[in-house]
């Protein structure tokens, strides 16, 4: 299961996306990652045993309204919240 959250900041036209993946975090599949559809790969982070993926898109071109994150286990679409 992929879970994603997205925030858009109008003041500096920045989109920030964070996501988790049960399958990828478990280590069952090595070498795979998550993609932010239309923007590129998310970067994997691990701190104190917690793993997540994130991407920051500067000059996003406005609030996309929603984002889609995809990976080996499928995809999910999340609405953006505006800050």
């Amino acid at each position: 299961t992929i879970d994603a959250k997205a925030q858009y900041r109008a003041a500096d036209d920045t989109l920030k996306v964070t996501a988790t993946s049960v399958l990828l975090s478990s280590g069952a599949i090595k070498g795979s990652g998550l993609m932010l559809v239309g923007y590129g790969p998310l970067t994997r982070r691990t701190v104190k045993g917690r793993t997540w993926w994130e991407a920051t898109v500067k000059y996003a071109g406005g609030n996309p309204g929603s984002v889609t994150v995809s990976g080996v286990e499928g995809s999910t679409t999340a609405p953006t919240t505006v800050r």
Side-chain angles (χ1 to χ4, degrees), residues 42-58:
L42 282 84
T43 302
R44 181 181 174 138
R45 305 279 188 225
T46 301
V47 175
K48 295 183 181 179
R50 182 175 171 266
T51 301
W52 72 95
W53 286 257
E54 64 183 21
T56 301
V57 180
K58 295 182 180 182

Side-chain angles (χ1 to χ4, degrees), residues 64-79:
S66 65
V67 297
T68 299
V69 176
S70 67
V72 68
E73 62 197 293
S75 65
T76 190
T77 299

